[in-house]
Amino acid sequence: MHFRERWAMLERSGGVLLLCMVLAITVWGRGQAMDETNEKTVAPTVRVRVFDDRGQWVGPIDMPKVIKTEADWKQRLTPQQYTIARGKGTERPFCGALLDNKKTGVYTCVCCGLPLFASNAKFDSGTGWPSFFEPIAAENILEKPDFSHGMVRTEVLCARCDAHLGHVFADGPKPTGRRYCLNSESLSFVEAGNLQQLADPSFQAASANQVPRFAEAVFAGGCFWCTEAVFEQVNGVVRVEAGYAGGDPKRANYADVCKGDTGHAEAIRIVYDPTIVGYRKLLEIFFATHDPTLLNRQGPDVGTQYRSAVFVADQDQREEAERYLQELTAKNVYDRPIVTTIEPLNGFFPAEEYHQDFARRNPNHGYILQQARPKVEKLRKRFPKDVIH
């Protein structure tokens, strides 16, 4: 029986009305199911770096993008901020409140508070807008082509909320050669002494008596560019910081340390989650990715500042490090004696900003290709289950 014949029978029997009702209920049900599915859709996330409740730099971590309605943004921002940050406007040159700001601190997104630029990357470009030669973290900004106003430019946006910040140009100073030309109205400023105000809730302790979630380890194994590159790959490590340990605090700067007479070693401070990776595992990775039998040198770098050392913060770390050294020696893992020292951690002094995340920010640098990359490859080959994939 053809479809039109069946329809005629339904009309004669009054079944058309019933059929329409069934179809309507079916369509409505499907719509409801789609609505429920949409409600359960996971919000988009972004991988960024943030500050913890001690004002320390952590990440990158995954967190939801900040998405609001235009009405919400208008209520949150001033008219000028909204016009520029959400409407992609541009403030008049030499009029921005942050143009001549000389204070030390961090510039954040006016819309969502994400840290974007640090004061030590700010310079006077003479253009009339706040200018920086690099962001505080590459993950925290987005860059995309902008063909508006008959020009070809590269727009800079906040990675977490897509706020318009300004544009980036290839006429900046060393070491990056870039000029991030930004609008004051798209930024807020927090002084260095108040960085705990930027703490992401994920890293705040529930109470003053709570056991800290993270632990720290300090190792020295040659150039800190290499050791930093290795441990940034390790699952459970939330932050790695290049710096100096074991020497005179007054001379903890790169120019002095390079002289080899300050007592320092180029070291890294590792902040890690002990529920994911333990101190013992970090020791295993440390010894496997550098040569602990070389005295005061690693690769082409020679001097006491390049010595192999484990800086221990307490007796537990000392006992763990001594125990592991004894195991390596007993098993004859190396053809030559291990010369790694175990030294008390009497202070860690962060290195200059341009040393931080050097391998990540300069992946094609000759030294990184020749010295750091092989160490990272060795890590991934020997510890495949312990690295970030």
Side-chain angles (χ1 to χ4, degrees), residues 72-82 85-86 110-111:
D72 288 337
W73 285 126
K74 286 182 178 179
Q75 184 175 12
R76 180 185 181 92
L77 305 172
T78 68
Q80 183 72 353
Q81 289 171 341
Y82 177 82
R86 309 314 308 182
V110 74
C111 295

Side-chain angles (χ1 to χ4, degrees), residues 60-110:
I61 61 171
D62 294 317
M63 60 174 53
K65 284 187 73 74
V66 174
I67 301 174
K68 298 181 180 294
T69 65
E70 293 306 304
D72 288 337
W73 285 126
K74 286 182 178 179
Q75 184 175 12
R76 180 185 181 92
L77 305 172
T78 68
Q80 183 72 353
Q81 289 171 341
Y82 177 82
T83 297
I84 293 173
R86 309 314 308 182
K88 301 184 184 297
T90 302
E91 67 194 16
R92 293 169 56 192
F94 300 101
C95 294
L98 296 176
L99 174 62
D100 296 321
N101 181 35
K102 306 296 184 183
K103 296 179 180 179
T104 300
V106 173
Y107 295 81
T108 67
C109 175
V110 74

Side-chain angles (χ1 to χ4, degrees), residues 18-39:
L18 177 62
L19 177 62
C20 291
M21 291 176 64
V22 171
L23 289 172
I25 292 173
T26 301
V27 171
W28 176 83
R30 288 179 177 175
Q32 288 292 101
M34 290 178 65
D35 288 342
E36 292 177 359
T37 300
N38 289 336
E39 289 178 359

Side-chain angles (χ1 to χ4, degrees), residues 222-230 232-233 242 254 266 300-301 354-378:
C223 175
F224 45 31
W225 293 353
C226 296
T227 47
E228 181 186 57
V230 167
E232 284 184 335
Q233 307 290 318
Y254 191 63
E266 287 195 9
D301 303 309
Y354 66 89
H355 285 302
Q356 307 300 333
D357 291 321
F358 190 89
R360 187 194 300 272
R361 296 191 295 189
N362 302 275
N364 297 318
H365 189 283
Y367 186 93
I368 298 303
L369 293 174
Q370 295 175 13
Q371 302 298 325
R373 181 174 291 181
K375 294 178 183 291
V376 173
E377 291 174 351
K378 182 182 293 185

